[in-house]
Amino acid sequence: MVWSFATFLRWSKYWEYIIKTVVIMKYFILALSVIVFTGCSGKFTKPHEGMDNAKMRFVSIPSNNNFIHEANSKKCISSNGGQQIAVLGSKANLIRSLSRNGVPLYDSNISDSHQNEVYIPANDEFSFQFNGVGIAGILPGAVFYSWCRKIVTFTPKANGLYEALYDVIETPEGKETCDVKLFEISKNAGGEYVKSEAEDYNVVHNYCGS
């Protein structure tokens, strides 16, 4: 079939319309995801009134997106958690949710978008869920994502300084999974800040219903 120049122009405009529609839908979905994941994380960007506070820096090593929220009351991993605390990764830049409150020993070798500092309540048990999402595979016309989630529970000290590090580790079976380590930052005898793994915290691996 031989197309006339006029027919070619008509079809070109048709495909141009389709492409524009797809692009608009892409940005609409992206904007919707931002609204969903943004929540009310501003609650943690300033000290909580009427109570003692501690400072926490959330850090993610993998180059993916991470969403941290309060753990549910059952203390088991769920896709439906409590209020959002922080966002890491490219979405953190998108929604401008990066926060700094002066937690010492900031690692400049890690991307700014993968570090977020917040205030958390002190002197009571505090539980948060670290959610990491990455690309598991790509096929023509489809992208597959995978989630890895962990809950950390501990009791922050008043005016304490903490860092929660989300990273990928290798299991004894040779498989990769995520893990979270909690560090406490304090001054040594020489007055310098040092970071050491917290002595009393618990990492939950179990999903609700499992």
Side-chain angles (χ1 to χ4, degrees), residues 52-93:
D52 291 324
N53 285 262
K55 293 180 180 181
M56 167 76 81
R57 176 166 54 231
F58 292 105
V59 181
S60 172
I61 297 298
S63 58
N64 53 15
N65 288 303
N66 299 86
F67 309 95
I68 303 102
H69 58 69
E70 293 176 301
N72 61 36
S73 59
K74 297 180 180 179
K75 302 296 190 296
C76 55
I77 297 172
S78 169
S79 58
N80 299 316
Q83 184 169 334
Q84 181 175 289
I85 301 173
V87 178
L88 303 177
S90 59
K91 277 192 169 59
N93 281 332

Short mmCIF file of all heavy atoms in Angstrom, two decimals, residues 52-93:
data_model
loop_
_atom_site.label_atom_id
_atom_site.label_comp_id
_atom_site.label_asym_id
_atom_site.label_seq_id
_atom_site.Cartn_x
_atom_site.Cartn_y
_atom_site.Cartn_z
N ASP A 52 10.32 14.56 74.95
CA ASP A 52 11.74 14.52 74.58
C ASP A 52 11.89 13.97 73.17
O ASP A 52 11.08 13.15 72.71
CB ASP A 52 12.51 13.63 75.56
CG ASP A 52 12.61 14.25 76.95
OD1 ASP A 52 12.74 15.49 77.02
OD2 ASP A 52 12.55 13.51 77.94
N ASN A 53 12.93 14.42 72.51
CA ASN A 53 13.17 14.01 71.13
C ASN A 53 14.57 13.43 70.96
O ASN A 53 15.47 13.68 71.76
CB ASN A 53 13.03 15.21 70.18
CG ASN A 53 11.60 15.63 69.95
OD1 ASN A 53 10.98 15.27 68.96
ND2 ASN A 53 11.05 16.41 70.89
N ALA A 54 14.72 12.67 69.90
CA ALA A 54 16.02 12.20 69.44
C ALA A 54 16.10 12.52 67.95
O ALA A 54 15.09 12.79 67.30
CB ALA A 54 16.18 10.69 69.68
N LYS A 55 17.32 12.51 67.42
CA LYS A 55 17.51 12.75 66.00
C LYS A 55 17.90 11.45 65.30
O LYS A 55 18.67 10.65 65.84
CB LYS A 55 18.59 13.81 65.76
CG LYS A 55 18.24 15.20 66.24
CD LYS A 55 19.38 16.17 65.97
CE LYS A 55 19.04 17.58 66.43
NZ LYS A 55 20.16 18.53 66.14
N MET A 56 17.34 11.25 64.11
CA MET A 56 17.62 10.04 63.34
C MET A 56 17.98 10.41 61.90
O MET A 56 17.31 11.25 61.28
CB MET A 56 16.38 9.13 63.34
CG MET A 56 16.43 7.99 62.34
SD MET A 56 17.51 6.65 62.85
CE MET A 56 16.40 5.78 63.98
N ARG A 57 19.03 9.78 61.40
CA ARG A 57 19.34 9.91 59.98
C ARG A 57 19.08 8.55 59.31
O ARG A 57 19.63 7.54 59.72
CB ARG A 57 20.80 10.32 59.75
CG ARG A 57 21.16 10.37 58.25
CD ARG A 57 22.47 11.08 57.99
NE ARG A 57 23.57 10.52 58.74
CZ ARG A 57 24.40 11.26 59.51
NH1 ARG A 57 24.24 12.55 59.59
NH2 ARG A 57 25.37 10.68 60.17
N PHE A 58 18.23 8.56 58.29
CA PHE A 58 17.97 7.37 57.49
C PHE A 58 18.89 7.39 56.27
O PHE A 58 18.99 8.41 55.58
CB PHE A 58 16.51 7.32 57.04
CG PHE A 58 15.54 7.11 58.17
CD1 PHE A 58 14.77 8.17 58.64
CD2 PHE A 58 15.39 5.87 58.76
CE1 PHE A 58 13.87 7.99 59.68
CE2 PHE A 58 14.50 5.68 59.81
CZ PHE A 58 13.74 6.74 60.26
N VAL A 59 19.55 6.27 56.01
CA VAL A 59 20.50 6.18 54.91
C VAL A 59 20.20 4.92 54.11
O VAL A 59 19.94 3.86 54.68
CB VAL A 59 21.96 6.14 55.41
CG1 VAL A 59 22.93 6.08 54.23
CG2 VAL A 59 22.26 7.34 56.29
N SER A 60 20.26 5.04 52.79
CA SER A 60 20.07 3.89 51.91
C SER A 60 21.26 3.79 50.96
O SER A 60 21.60 4.76 50.28
CB SER A 60 18.78 4.04 51.11
OG SER A 60 18.68 3.02 50.14
N ILE A 61 21.88 2.63 50.91
CA ILE A 61 23.03 2.41 50.01
C ILE A 61 22.57 2.10 48.59
O ILE A 61 23.07 2.69 47.63
CB ILE A 61 23.94 1.29 50.54
CG1 ILE A 61 24.55 1.70 51.90
CG2 ILE A 61 25.05 0.99 49.55
CD1 ILE A 61 25.42 2.93 51.84
N PRO A 62 21.61 1.17 48.39
CA PRO A 62 21.20 0.87 47.00
C PRO A 62 20.62 2.10 46.30
O PRO A 62 20.01 2.96 46.94
CB PRO A 62 20.12 -0.21 47.18
CG PRO A 62 20.38 -0.78 48.54
CD PRO A 62 20.89 0.35 49.36
N SER A 63 20.80 2.16 45.01
CA SER A 63 20.31 3.32 44.25
C SER A 63 18.86 3.11 43.82
O SER A 63 18.53 3.08 42.63
CB SER A 63 21.18 3.56 43.02
OG SER A 63 21.20 2.40 42.21
N ASN A 64 17.98 2.90 44.79
CA ASN A 64 16.56 2.77 44.47
C ASN A 64 15.77 3.73 45.36
O ASN A 64 16.35 4.57 46.03
CB ASN A 64 16.09 1.32 44.68
CG ASN A 64 16.43 0.79 46.07
OD1 ASN A 64 16.75 1.53 46.98
ND2 ASN A 64 16.36 -0.52 46.23
N ASN A 65 14.47 3.61 45.36
CA ASN A 65 13.63 4.47 46.19
C ASN A 65 13.27 3.74 47.49
O ASN A 65 13.01 2.54 47.49
CB ASN A 65 12.35 4.84 45.45
CG ASN A 65 12.62 5.84 44.34
OD1 ASN A 65 13.15 6.92 44.57
ND2 ASN A 65 12.25 5.49 43.12
N ASN A 66 13.28 4.49 48.57
CA ASN A 66 12.94 3.93 49.87
C ASN A 66 11.90 4.81 50.55
O ASN A 66 11.97 6.04 50.48
CB ASN A 66 14.17 3.84 50.77
CG ASN A 66 15.24 2.94 50.22
OD1 ASN A 66 16.07 3.38 49.44
ND2 ASN A 66 15.23 1.68 50.59
N PHE A 67 10.95 4.16 51.21
CA PHE A 67 9.90 4.85 51.94
C PHE A 67 9.90 4.32 53.36
O PHE A 67 9.82 3.11 53.57
CB PHE A 67 8.54 4.61 51.28
CG PHE A 67 8.54 4.89 49.79
CD1 PHE A 67 8.75 3.88 48.87
CD2 PHE A 67 8.38 6.19 49.32
CE1 PHE A 67 8.78 4.14 47.51
CE2 PHE A 67 8.41 6.46 47.96
CZ PHE A 67 8.61 5.43 47.05
N ILE A 68 10.02 5.22 54.33
CA ILE A 68 10.05 4.82 55.73
C ILE A 68 8.80 5.34 56.41
O ILE A 68 8.47 6.52 56.30
CB ILE A 68 11.30 5.38 56.45
CG1 ILE A 68 12.57 4.92 55.74
CG2 ILE A 68 11.34 4.90 57.89
CD1 ILE A 68 13.22 5.94 54.87
N HIS A 69 8.08 4.45 57.09
CA HIS A 69 6.89 4.88 57.83
C HIS A 69 6.83 4.17 59.17
O HIS A 69 7.58 3.21 59.42
CB HIS A 69 5.61 4.64 57.02
CG HIS A 69 5.39 3.21 56.62
ND1 HIS A 69 5.09 2.22 57.52
CD2 HIS A 69 5.41 2.60 55.40
CE1 HIS A 69 4.93 1.06 56.88
NE2 HIS A 69 5.13 1.26 55.60
N GLU A 70 5.96 4.65 60.04
CA GLU A 70 5.79 4.02 61.33
C GLU A 70 5.25 2.60 61.13
O GLU A 70 4.38 2.37 60.28
CB GLU A 70 4.82 4.84 62.19
CG GLU A 70 5.37 6.20 62.59
CD GLU A 70 4.36 7.02 63.36
OE1 GLU A 70 3.28 7.28 62.82
OE2 GLU A 70 4.65 7.40 64.50
N ALA A 71 5.75 1.67 61.92
CA ALA A 71 5.27 0.29 61.83
C ALA A 71 3.86 0.20 62.38
O ALA A 71 3.42 1.03 63.18
CB ALA A 71 6.20 -0.64 62.59
N ASN A 72 3.12 -0.82 61.92
CA ASN A 72 1.76 -0.99 62.43
C ASN A 72 1.80 -1.50 63.88
O ASN A 72 2.85 -1.88 64.40
CB ASN A 72 0.95 -1.93 61.52
CG ASN A 72 1.57 -3.31 61.44
OD1 ASN A 72 2.11 -3.84 62.41
ND2 ASN A 72 1.48 -3.92 60.27
N SER A 73 0.66 -1.50 64.52
CA SER A 73 0.58 -1.86 65.94
C SER A 73 0.95 -3.31 66.21
O SER A 73 1.35 -3.66 67.32
CB SER A 73 -0.82 -1.57 66.48
OG SER A 73 -1.80 -2.31 65.74
N LYS A 74 0.85 -4.16 65.19
CA LYS A 74 1.16 -5.58 65.36
C LYS A 74 2.66 -5.86 65.25
O LYS A 74 3.10 -6.98 65.50
CB LYS A 74 0.41 -6.41 64.31
CG LYS A 74 -1.10 -6.35 64.43
CD LYS A 74 -1.76 -7.19 63.34
CE LYS A 74 -3.27 -7.13 63.44
NZ LYS A 74 -3.93 -7.93 62.37
N LYS A 75 3.44 -4.85 64.82
CA LYS A 75 4.88 -4.98 64.67
C LYS A 75 5.25 -6.09 63.68
O LYS A 75 6.24 -6.81 63.86
CB LYS A 75 5.55 -5.25 66.02
CG LYS A 75 5.28 -4.18 67.08
CD LYS A 75 5.87 -2.83 66.67
CE LYS A 75 5.82 -1.83 67.82
NZ LYS A 75 4.45 -1.50 68.23
N CYS A 76 4.44 -6.23 62.63
CA CYS A 76 4.76 -7.17 61.55
C CYS A 76 4.76 -6.39 60.24
O CYS A 76 4.08 -5.38 60.10
CB CYS A 76 3.77 -8.33 61.50
SG CYS A 76 2.03 -7.84 61.36
N ILE A 77 5.53 -6.87 59.27
CA ILE A 77 5.71 -6.14 58.02
C ILE A 77 4.43 -6.17 57.21
O ILE A 77 3.81 -7.21 57.01
CB ILE A 77 6.87 -6.76 57.21
CG1 ILE A 77 8.17 -6.61 57.99
CG2 ILE A 77 7.00 -6.08 55.85
CD1 ILE A 77 9.34 -7.34 57.37
N SER A 78 4.03 -4.98 56.73
CA SER A 78 2.79 -4.86 55.98
C SER A 78 2.94 -3.75 54.95
O SER A 78 3.74 -2.83 55.11
CB SER A 78 1.62 -4.55 56.91
OG SER A 78 0.46 -4.18 56.19
N SER A 79 2.16 -3.87 53.87
CA SER A 79 2.15 -2.80 52.87
C SER A 79 1.32 -1.61 53.34
O SER A 79 1.37 -0.53 52.76
CB SER A 79 1.61 -3.32 51.53
OG SER A 79 0.31 -3.85 51.69
N ASN A 80 0.55 -1.82 54.40
CA ASN A 80 -0.27 -0.75 54.98
C ASN A 80 0.29 -0.38 56.34
O ASN A 80 -0.08 -0.97 57.36
CB ASN A 80 -1.73 -1.21 55.10
CG ASN A 80 -2.34 -1.56 53.77
OD1 ASN A 80 -2.15 -0.82 52.80
ND2 ASN A 80 -3.05 -2.67 53.70
N GLY A 81 1.20 0.57 56.35
CA GLY A 81 1.81 0.97 57.61
C GLY A 81 1.21 2.23 58.17
O GLY A 81 0.15 2.70 57.74
N GLY A 82 1.89 2.81 59.12
CA GLY A 82 1.42 4.03 59.75
C GLY A 82 1.89 5.25 58.99
O GLY A 82 2.15 5.21 57.78
N GLN A 83 2.01 6.36 59.69
CA GLN A 83 2.36 7.63 59.06
C GLN A 83 3.76 7.60 58.47
O GLN A 83 4.68 7.04 59.05
CB GLN A 83 2.24 8.76 60.08
CG GLN A 83 2.50 10.13 59.47
CD GLN A 83 2.12 11.24 60.42
OE1 GLN A 83 1.26 11.05 61.27
NE2 GLN A 83 2.75 12.37 60.29
N GLN A 84 3.89 8.23 57.33
CA GLN A 84 5.19 8.28 56.67
C GLN A 84 6.17 9.14 57.46
O GLN A 84 5.81 10.19 57.99
CB GLN A 84 5.07 8.83 55.26
CG GLN A 84 6.39 8.87 54.51
CD GLN A 84 6.21 9.30 53.08
OE1 GLN A 84 5.67 8.56 52.27
NE2 GLN A 84 6.63 10.51 52.76
N ILE A 85 7.43 8.69 57.52
CA ILE A 85 8.47 9.41 58.24
C ILE A 85 9.42 10.10 57.27
O ILE A 85 9.77 11.27 57.45
CB ILE A 85 9.26 8.44 59.15
CG1 ILE A 85 8.33 7.77 60.16
CG2 ILE A 85 10.39 9.18 59.85
CD1 ILE A 85 9.00 6.67 60.98
N ALA A 86 9.85 9.39 56.23
CA ALA A 86 10.83 9.96 55.31
C ALA A 86 10.80 9.22 53.99
O ALA A 86 10.29 8.10 53.88
CB ALA A 86 12.23 9.90 55.92
N VAL A 87 11.37 9.85 52.97
CA VAL A 87 11.51 9.28 51.64
C VAL A 87 12.97 9.43 51.22
O VAL A 87 13.60 10.45 51.47
CB VAL A 87 10.61 9.99 50.62
CG1 VAL A 87 10.81 9.41 49.22
CG2 VAL A 87 9.15 9.87 51.02
N LEU A 88 13.51 8.40 50.59
CA LEU A 88 14.88 8.44 50.08
C LEU A 88 14.88 8.08 48.60
O LEU A 88 14.02 7.36 48.12
CB LEU A 88 15.78 7.45 50.83
CG LEU A 88 15.88 7.60 52.35
CD1 LEU A 88 16.74 6.48 52.92
CD2 LEU A 88 16.46 8.94 52.72
N GLY A 89 15.88 8.58 47.88
CA GLY A 89 16.00 8.25 46.46
C GLY A 89 15.51 9.37 45.57
O GLY A 89 15.33 10.51 45.99
N SER A 90 15.25 9.01 44.30
CA SER A 90 14.86 10.02 43.32
C SER A 90 13.56 10.70 43.69
O SER A 90 13.35 11.89 43.41
CB SER A 90 14.75 9.38 41.93
OG SER A 90 13.80 8.33 41.93
N LYS A 91 12.63 9.99 44.32
CA LYS A 91 11.35 10.60 44.71
C LYS A 91 11.55 11.65 45.80
O LYS A 91 10.79 12.60 45.92
CB LYS A 91 10.36 9.53 45.18
CG LYS A 91 9.62 8.86 44.04
CD LYS A 91 8.47 8.03 44.55
CE LYS A 91 7.56 7.58 43.41
NZ LYS A 91 8.23 6.79 42.39
N ALA A 92 12.61 11.48 46.62
CA ALA A 92 12.89 12.49 47.64
C ALA A 92 13.24 13.82 46.99
O ALA A 92 12.82 14.88 47.45
CB ALA A 92 14.04 12.02 48.53
N ASN A 93 13.97 13.77 45.89
CA ASN A 93 14.28 14.99 45.16
C ASN A 93 13.02 15.56 44.52
O ASN A 93 12.81 16.78 44.50
CB ASN A 93 15.33 14.72 44.08
CG ASN A 93 16.73 14.64 44.64
OD1 ASN A 93 17.03 15.26 45.66
ND2 ASN A 93 17.60 13.89 44.00
#
